[in-house]
Amino acid sequence: MSDAAVPNDPQQRLQQLREAIDETDNALLQLLQRRRQLAAEVGTVKRSLGQPLYVPEREVKLIAARRSEAEAIGLSPDLIEDVLRRVIRESYQQQQAADVHLEDKTIVVVGGYGALGGLFAERFREAGAHVHCIGEGEQDQLAAVCANADLVLVSVPIAVTEAVIETLPQLPEHCILADVTSIKAKPLQAMLKQHQGPVVGLHPMFGPQVATLAKQLIVVTEGRDAPAYQWLLNTLIRWGAQLYQTSAERHDEAMGFIQVMRHLSTFVYGAHLASEKADLQELLDLSSPIYRLELMMVGRLFAQNADLYADIILAHPENFAMMRRYLESFTQVLGQLEQGDKSGFVEKFAEISDYFGEFSQKFLEDSQRLLASAGDAHQLSQVAGR
């Protein structure tokens, strides 16, 4: 726009600039639509080549290159990375069309009418497999549907997992027996005892609400005959999942901190808020993004299945001793503070900071990006609610 075309009236100039921004935004929309179309085509080609939906190395290189290019032209690299990550996440959902590669497989999902079992049953169907779902009260159908099964996946509540495994009929020698329970040692032992063929324990570290398995973590605990169940792992990788292999014992020990400790602490925090009759809306209104996010993480627990969380906590009674030690630590620190022992608190803070080491700075940087997104979402919801 030439200088002669710039109006003298500031209000007119503001309107002119806003219209130019609207035009630029429209151009951005067209570019995003074009990128979406290209991503869909990439997904088609990937499926034809049998390549995984998510390739971490490619994403890292892409973002690094765009950050460098953004910095070179005076744009914020963090801004470009935030935008790209959101666009890429949308691309993964776009690419997750029917990936037919399991036409020769017969799969039985015990608990396939449940939320998580249903998620896997649907994915297997999309991949072309012949899928049979078995629900509660349908055990009499197991023998018939398992006779030619290539995979039997157990997805039932923790409390009944071992009992369900023990009722399975004799499976074909080549058939994989797997479970998706959030504890691993006891179900794995039960599967190894019940079936002499390939056995593997899986723990999806996500809920059934996920739109895509891209970037989702699945823990794998080896049971028996890994080469024979490799096709199942390859399928999970092809869907974009990230696999982490460990022993059942190491898995269960880690889950004591990752699940049991967090779930119980969150439950008690929520229970205390309820008993104190805290005004949740006021807490939200007065909170910074970090505290708002923490409150959201507490609240989301109580929007989910109580039986599931009770089973996770009760599955390993040995974790109660660890929780007692946690309670003792809390009481000890509280006692220090009640006595006004600031120096003791600061000394302990420094000791714990040394334990976290370089993770502290990384966690700070990662959380800042989350908090920025959370802050934006909160402001939008506030405006929308007016």
Side-chain angles (χ1 to χ4, degrees), residues 205 250-265 312 319 322-323 325-326 355:
M205 299 299 294
R250 291 284 294 172
H251 166 277
D252 289 352
E253 181 181 354
M255 287 306 121
F257 296 101
I258 295 171
Q259 288 191 319
V260 178
M261 182 176 176
R262 290 307 311 149
H263 293 335
L264 187 54
S265 297
I312 290 173
N319 284 319
M322 182 266 290
M323 293 302 299
R325 293 193 297 274
Y326 172 62
Y355 162 75

Side-chain angles (χ1 to χ4, degrees), residues 26 37 71 111 113 197 218 223 245 262 284 302 321 362 382:
N26 184 262
Q37 293 169 348
E71 191 168 18
Y113 299 117
I218 299 179
Q245 303 209 22
R262 290 307 311 149
L284 281 172
F302 298 98
K362 183 179 186 304
Q382 292 287 90

